């Protein structure tokens, strides 16, 4: 009898005009808690951020919330709210997030393994290879950065796998990729569940949950009203953000538009069916925003805040009416989230490793059991593991133990395919070049890489390198290489006209080994065998045309912390090389070469960077033309042609500034001074200082960096340089 009276009381206080035309009859329980309120949040991409504005208003009117269900963006907003975040906290998270970085799975260049940095910035196309067949990626974005963010935000509930145990019971929806049926997710690792629910096809790669490949829940059930009703909700408040610009334009008849129309028709149909079960419906109309308009987060939130105020009076009446029937008016099961600043890691367990070397993974994690670490420390370790290039995904979960410590679970998904890469380049000296490369991982040894590369153009090249690790802390790297290159070298007169052109064919094999101290520092020593011959000579008559030999020992040290190759904003690079050849068989060139180069980039603010460069090299003995150390060209020594300045001893210094005038648009100004002479000569009259300047404008594009440079010197008043594409 009491339940019936409560239902009648609620019906009287909530006028029918405030509910949808298909308002449900309230189902009351025998308890004194009153009607239980369910909140349902749809998908909608960036537009789904409007859910935050609704949550803020629900808090302001003191609306109790007993259950939450969500799909895609709705699952993320709803999931965070269910585990204790307030609407204001979620809004601040959204505003503070770097969305461009979140949708970019490229690893921070600083933590790319040092042996991989030589390949960074060479390719514009990267495609998976399975069984020697080139395929297409399953999604543009793998979701590594998004998974990391979700793990961090849900860290305090990593040990809770039953979503009914959250402060507010929660359910999320994903789609089974095999049969298209909805997956009702009420348990598991929340961060993985949220990632699965938002896996928009072709945008994000599918996610595996308990052996099932999943995609965005919106394709199966974009508005999970029925699932929240099944949890026990008596009254449903629904927010449907998947309207307006989320639907394709039916006037466009392209193949892609037709396919999108078919998909969105199904989503719209299921959403309408679910909406019939809603008691109070809100459909935010916030302007012409699309699913991926995350650059407009602040505008979306501001528009939603303004629009949602039209519901304030209606929601206030509903909230007051419901609270009048409850013994816990306004109760949302909130609690203040206890931020996890640091944890004691008592145990580390690595999951899903089948081919890779677990010791290498542990060496990159850099954690010792029994010590205290912050969440940031754990994330940085996971980033280093992911940067090894052997994994599709690397994530973590912390599990509380009985004695106030934690067990750290590292989950990896090993790449089950290799990669084909392609890049292009054009400059006004060597014209157009193409590079093709295939990388094979875990060949013959765990955590190894075999890379086969070919370059087409004026200087063709074929290269094979095999690299693998031995041991850990520090790892010992071993590299075996075979290479064929056709080198073009120009010799200039004082007037800067080309006097001679020499094409040298060389075949090189080498092996080196050394400690990989960290992701920024490596050193090594090895043996190199080279056979070379001038294949075409213009303007030179005294070159030996037979095949010649070089047998040499070499050593190097390389440090690299730059955040970008072409337009670095911070970091430095230091490279030291030494090569000594020997006449082991009585027919070899004998020479010695020492070289040092240091580049340093220091940001003065978020737009302006000052950079310096110092270099010096000494060559003695009978070194061949293609081994010369030279000055000239962009960006190494401005105002001179490439290889225009050469001698036994070269040295130079450069100072420059870089300014980012617009996002990813840069201006650079450089000045340099240098000198070339015999290695023991200090005669500045015979070998005077050389001074040059340069001005560049450039940007990063989908085909690589594009840069136009004007430079000059006393010898060459004005030179121009045009470069498009990656440096290889």
């Amino acid at each position: 009898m009491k339940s019936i009276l409560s239902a009648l009381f609620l019906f009287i206080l909530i006028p029918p005009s405030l509910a949808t035309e298909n308002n449900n009859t309230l189902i009351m329980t025998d308890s004194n808690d009153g009607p239980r309120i369910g909140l349902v949040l749809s998908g909608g991409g960036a537009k789904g951020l409007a859910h935050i504005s609704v949550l803020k208003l629900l808090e302001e009117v003191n609306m109790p919330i007993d259950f939450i269900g969500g799909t895609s963006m709705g699952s993320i907003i709803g999931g965070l709210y269910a585990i204790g975040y307030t609407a204001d906290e979620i809004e601040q998270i959204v505003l503070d997030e770097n969305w461009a970085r979140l949708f970019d799975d490229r690893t921070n260049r600083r933590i790319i393994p040092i042996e991989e940095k030589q390949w960074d910035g060479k390719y514009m196309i990267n495609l998976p290879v399975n069984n020697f067949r080139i395929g297409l990626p399953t999604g543009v974005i793998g979701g590594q950065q998004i998974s990391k963010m979700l793990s961090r935000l849900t860290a305090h509930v990593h040990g809770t796998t039953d979503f009914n145990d959250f402060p507010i019971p929660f359910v999320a929806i994903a789609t089974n990729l095999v049969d298209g049926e909805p997956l009702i997710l009420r348990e598991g690792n929340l961060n993985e569940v949220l990632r699965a629910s938002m896996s928009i096809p072709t945008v994000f790669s599918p996610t595996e949950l308990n052996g099932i490949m999943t995609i965005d829940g919106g394709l199966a059930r974009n508005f999970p009203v029925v699932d929240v009703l099944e949890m026990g909700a008596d009254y449903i408040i629904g927010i449907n953000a998947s309207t307006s610009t989320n639907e394709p334009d039916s006037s466009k008849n392209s193949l892609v538009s037709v396919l999108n129309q078919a998909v969105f028709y199904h989503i719209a149909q299921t959403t309408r069916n679910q909406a019939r079960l809603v008691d109070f419906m809100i459909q935010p109309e916030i302007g012409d925003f699309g699913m991926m308009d995350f650059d407009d987060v602040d505008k979306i939130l501001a528009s939603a805040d303004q629009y949602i105020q039209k519901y304030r009076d209606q929601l206030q009446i509903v909230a007051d009416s419901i609270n009048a029937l409850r013994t816990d008016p306004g109760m949302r099961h909130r609690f203040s989230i206890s931020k996890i600043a640091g944890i004691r890691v008592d145990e580390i367990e690595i999951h899903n490793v089948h081919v890779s070397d677990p010791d290498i993974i542990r060496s990159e994690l850099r954690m010792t059991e029994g010590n205290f670490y912050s969440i940031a420390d754990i994330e940085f370790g996971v980033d280093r593991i992911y940067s090894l290039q052997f994994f599709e995904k690397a994530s973590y979960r912390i599990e509380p133990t009985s004695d106030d410590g934690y067990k750290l679970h590292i989950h990896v998904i090993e790449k089950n395919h290799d990669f084909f890469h392609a890049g292009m380049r054009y400059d006004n000296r060597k014209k157009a070049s193409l590079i093709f490369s295939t990388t094979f991982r875990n060949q013959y040894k765990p955590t190894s890489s075999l890379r086969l590369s070919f370059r087409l153009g004026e200087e063709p090249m074929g290269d094979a390198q095999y690299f693998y690790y031995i041991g850990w802390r520090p790892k010992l790297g071993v590299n075996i290489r075979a290479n064929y290159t056709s080198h073009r070298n120009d010799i200039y007169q004082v007037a800067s006209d080309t006097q001679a052109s020499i094409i040298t064919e060389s075949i090189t094999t080498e092996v080196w080994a050394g400690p990989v101290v960290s992701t920024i520092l490596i050193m090594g020593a090895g043996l190199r065998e080279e056979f070379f011959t001038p294949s075409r000579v213009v303007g030179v008559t005294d070159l030996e045309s037979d095949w010649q030999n070089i047998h040499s020992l070499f050593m190097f040290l390389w440090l690299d912390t730059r955040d970008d190759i072409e337009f670095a904003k911070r970091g430095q690079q230091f490279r030291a090389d030494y090569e000594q050849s020997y006449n082991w068989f009585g027919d070899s060139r004998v020479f010695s070469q020492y070289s040092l180069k240091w580049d340093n980039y220091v940001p003065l603010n978020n737009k302006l960077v000052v950079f310096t460069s110092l270099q010096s090299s000494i060559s003695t003995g009978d070194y061949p033309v293609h081994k010369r150390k030279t000055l000239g060209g962009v960006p190494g020594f401005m105002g001179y042609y490439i290889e225009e300045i050469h001698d036994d001893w070269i040295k130079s210094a450069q100072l420059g500034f870089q300014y980012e005038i617009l996002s990813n648009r840069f201006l650079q100004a450089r000045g340099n001074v240098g000198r070339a002479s015999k290695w023991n000569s200090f005669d500045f009259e015979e070998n005077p200082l050389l001074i040059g300047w340069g001005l560049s404008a450039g940007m990063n594009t989908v085909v690589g960096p594009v840069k136009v440079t004007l430079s000059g010197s006393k010898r060459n008043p004005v030179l121009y340089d045009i470069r498009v594409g990656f440096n290889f």
Side-chain angles (χ1 to χ4, degrees):
M1 184 66 179
K2 185 174 182 179
S3 297
I4 296 174
L5 291 175
S6 297
L8 290 172
F9 183 57
L10 182 62
F11 181 78
I12 293 171
L13 287 184
I14 303 179
S17 61
L18 299 185
T20 61
E21 61 181 358
N22 294 299
N23 190 30
N24 294 326
T25 301
L26 289 172
I27 302 174
M28 304 300 296
T29 65
D30 292 331
S31 69
N32 294 326
D33 293 337
R36 292 171 295 180
I37 310 305
L39 179 66
V40 181
L41 309 178
S42 76
K47 198 170 180 179
L49 297 174
H51 295 319
I52 299 172
S53 298
V54 179
L55 289 175
K56 289 195 296 184
L57 183 57
L58 292 176
E59 289 183 349
E60 290 171 8
V61 300
N62 203 30
M63 179 72 73
I65 298 174
D66 300 284
F67 308 100
I68 298 180
T71 297
S72 198
M73 180 58 76
S75 73
I76 294 177
I77 303 300
L80 294 180
Y81 199 71
I83 62 175
Y85 288 94
T86 66
D88 286 337
E89 288 172 331
I90 298 173
E91 181 179 53
Q92 197 59 50
I93 290 169
V94 167
L95 291 172
D96 291 343
E97 189 59 57
N98 183 341
W99 291 93
R101 180 73 185 104
L102 201 63
F103 294 131
D104 185 354
D105 282 333
R106 289 179 301 174
T107 306
N108 183 331
R109 189 179 183 278
R110 190 183 188 280
I111 63 173
I112 294 175
I114 185 70
E115 71 278 0
E116 294 283 342
K117 283 186 169 71
Q118 61 181 309
W119 310 108
D120 181 49
K122 290 185 183 292
Y123 311 116
M124 66 178 181
I125 297 174
N126 300 278
L127 299 174
V129 176
N130 287 294
N131 298 321
F132 299 98
R133 294 184 179 181
I134 299 174
L136 294 175
T138 56
V140 177
I141 303 168
Q144 173 67 19
Q145 298 301 324
I146 291 175
S147 294
K148 186 174 70 173
M149 176 197 72
L150 294 175
S151 292
R152 178 174 66 253
L153 295 176
T154 62
H156 61 287
V157 294
H158 280 191
T160 304
T161 57
D162 187 343
F163 299 169
N164 286 322
D165 293 334
F166 289 165
I168 303 177
F170 174 69
V171 63
I173 306 298
T175 300
N176 188 324
L177 182 58
V178 175
D179 58 19
E181 292 297 315
L183 289 176
I184 318 304
L185 303 171
R186 295 193 177 100
E187 60 183 14
N189 298 326
L190 180 61
N191 55 309
E192 294 181 0
V193 165
L194 299 182
R195 170 66 181 86
S197 181
M198 54 145 294
S199 299
I200 302 172
T202 73
V203 177
F204 296 101
S205 298
T207 299
E208 182 178 345
L209 281 180
N210 301 321
I212 300 174
M213 295 305 296
T214 66
I215 54 177
D216 192 284
L219 276 75
R221 189 171 296 151
N222 189 54
F223 200 36
V225 180
V226 65
D227 307 288
V228 177
L229 286 170
E230 289 176 357
M231 297 174 75
D234 303 308
Y235 189 85
I236 297 291
I237 299 173
I239 300 99
N240 176 26
S242 58
T243 57
S244 185
T245 55
N246 293 327
E247 299 179 6
D249 185 354
S250 59
S251 66
K252 297 179 180 179
N253 295 319
S254 67
L255 175 61
V256 173
S257 179
V258 171
L259 292 174
N260 284 343
Q261 190 72 26
V263 172
F264 278 97
Y265 175 81
H266 174 71
I267 293 175
Q269 182 63 43
T270 60
T271 299
R272 283 194 294 269
N273 292 338
Q274 293 291 306
R276 297 188 181 100
L277 305 173
V278 172
D279 298 285
F280 195 104
M281 174 69 82
I282 299 175
Q283 294 194 141
E285 297 177 8
I286 56 174
D288 190 20
F289 296 107
M291 292 182 62
M292 299 305 293
D293 287 343
F294 289 95
D295 290 339
D296 297 320
V297 165
D298 53 343
K299 297 178 183 178
I300 291 173
L301 292 173
S303 181
D305 283 344
Q306 181 177 3
Y307 175 82
I308 212 68
Q309 291 304 313
K310 65 182 290 186
Y311 292 96
R312 173 180 289 276
D313 292 342
Q314 299 173 14
L315 285 172
Q316 188 67 69
I317 294 173
V318 174
D320 292 345
S321 302
I322 291 173
N323 284 324
L325 301 176
R326 293 175 64 114
T327 58
D328 56 352
M331 184 64 179
R332 285 183 297 277
H333 304 287
R334 314 308 303 152
F335 72 95
S336 178
I337 296 176
S338 184
K339 302 293 183 182
I340 301 179
I343 63 172
R344 189 183 74 240
V345 177
D346 291 339
E347 185 179 353
I348 299 173
E349 184 174 350
I350 300 173
H351 301 267
N352 303 325
V353 177
H354 306 292
V355 179
S356 303
D357 187 343
D359 285 342
I360 299 299
I361 297 175
R362 286 180 176 272
S363 72
E364 291 302 325
L365 189 59
R366 298 181 188 176
M367 292 184 179
T368 304
E369 293 170 341
N371 289 336
F372 284 85
Y373 298 97
S374 67
I375 296 298
D377 293 332
I378 298 173
E379 284 192 352
F380 195 39
V382 170
D383 282 344
R384 285 193 295 265
I385 293 170
Y386 178 70
S387 73
L388 287 171
Q389 315 291 317
F390 293 96
F391 307 106
E392 296 282 359
K393 179 182 175 183
S395 60
Y396 71 92
R397 180 171 62 89
I398 55 176
E399 178 187 359
T401 59
S402 57
D403 55 352
D404 297 327
Y406 286 83
K407 182 178 182 180
L408 174 61
H409 297 267
I410 302 296
H411 298 268
V412 297
I413 299 177
E414 295 179 310
K415 289 180 179 178
N416 58 5
H417 56 260
D418 302 307
F419 270 97
F420 170 79
H421 318 275
M424 61 81 63
R425 176 180 172 82
Y426 171 85
D427 65 65
N428 53 308
R429 177 181 182 263
K430 298 181 181 180
K431 307 307 178 185
S433 298
L434 299 174
I435 190 169
F436 304 98
S437 181
T438 304
T439 303
F440 301 94
R441 303 286 183 182
N442 296 311
Q443 297 291 318
Y444 310 113
K445 287 182 175 292
T447 326
S448 65
S449 61
L450 171 64
R451 193 180 299 262
L452 306 177
S453 303
F454 301 92
R455 182 175 64 207
L456 303 178
E458 187 172 299
E459 294 184 322
M461 177 271 292
D463 187 86
Q465 293 197 48
Y466 182 69
F467 181 90
Y468 64 95
Y469 291 119
I470 299 176
W472 62 303
R473 291 187 180 177
K475 304 182 292 290
L476 181 68
V478 178
N479 192 77
I480 303 170
R481 182 187 187 193
N483 176 276
Y484 164 82
T485 302
S486 177
H487 307 268
R488 172 188 163 185
N489 299 99
D490 294 329
I491 300 175
Y492 290 85
Q493 296 178 349
V494 175
S496 296
D497 295 323
T498 302
Q499 178 186 16
S501 178
I502 302 170
I503 305 295
T504 302
E505 293 184 272
S506 69
I507 300 174
T508 304
T509 59
E510 66 179 36
V511 59
W512 61 262
V516 183
V517 180
S518 69
T519 58
I520 64 172
L521 179 62
I522 190 173
M523 60 187 73
L527 174 67
R528 179 180 295 137
E529 295 287 327
E530 182 176 353
F531 302 89
F532 70 93
T533 183
S535 63
R536 191 172 75 229
V537 178
V538 178
V540 179
T541 59
D542 58 348
L543 282 179
E544 184 179 347
S545 60
D546 295 335
W547 283 93
Q548 301 169 64
N549 305 325
I550 299 175
H551 313 292
S552 60
L553 298 174
F554 66 94
M555 294 185 293
F556 69 90
L557 184 149
W558 182 23
L559 179 144
D560 192 345
T561 65
R562 295 172 297 169
D563 60 356
D564 191 73
I565 293 292
E566 196 69 41
F567 303 108
K569 295 182 179 180
R570 64 179 67 246
Q572 60 181 312
Q573 175 181 229
F574 177 79
R575 177 84 189 208
D577 289 273
Y578 166 67
E579 182 175 5
Q580 176 64 60
S581 69
Y582 296 92
N583 189 10
W584 285 336
F585 304 107
D587 59 352
S588 305
R589 292 287 191 100
V590 178
F591 61 90
S592 300
Q593 288 187 322
Y594 313 79
S595 63
L596 299 171
K597 191 173 191 299
W598 178 63
D599 302 306
N600 190 40
Y601 301 83
V602 178
L604 301 181
N605 54 45
N606 61 352
K607 294 288 187 180
L608 184 62
V609 176
V610 59
F611 53 85
T612 55
S613 179
L614 302 173
Q615 66 172 317
S616 178
S617 67
I618 296 176
S619 303
T620 62
D622 187 22
Y623 54 89
V625 172
H626 70 283
K627 289 282 191 177
R628 294 180 311 167
K629 304 298 182 181
T630 64
L631 292 176
V634 177
F637 198 73
M638 313 293 280
Y640 296 85
Y641 293 101
I642 296 175
E643 301 181 318
E644 183 176 350
I645 310 300
H646 63 87
D647 213 323
D648 293 346
W649 183 17
I650 65 168
K651 49 275 186 190
S652 70
Q654 186 178 93
L655 175 65
F657 296 89
Q658 174 179 284
Y659 186 75
E660 188 173 10
I661 53 175
L662 295 171
S663 177
N664 197 32
R665 272 70 169 173
F666 301 91
L667 292 178
Q668 295 177 336
R670 306 170 190 261
N672 45 239
V673 59
R675 183 171 177 265
S677 67
K678 299 301 179 184
W679 73 271
N680 57 354
S681 172
F682 295 92
D683 187 343
F684 283 82
E685 291 186 4
E686 182 180 356
N687 303 109
L689 290 176
L690 306 170
I691 300 174
W693 59 270
L695 296 174
S696 302
M699 61 184 293
N700 283 313
T701 70
V702 293
V703 298
V706 175
K707 181 184 285 189
V708 178
T709 300
L710 291 178
S711 64
S713 64
K714 184 177 180 180
R715 183 181 297 184
N716 305 299
V718 178
L719 299 176
Y720 75 92
D721 185 89
I722 300 174
R723 301 190 177 203
V724 179
F726 299 92
N727 186 29
F728 52 80

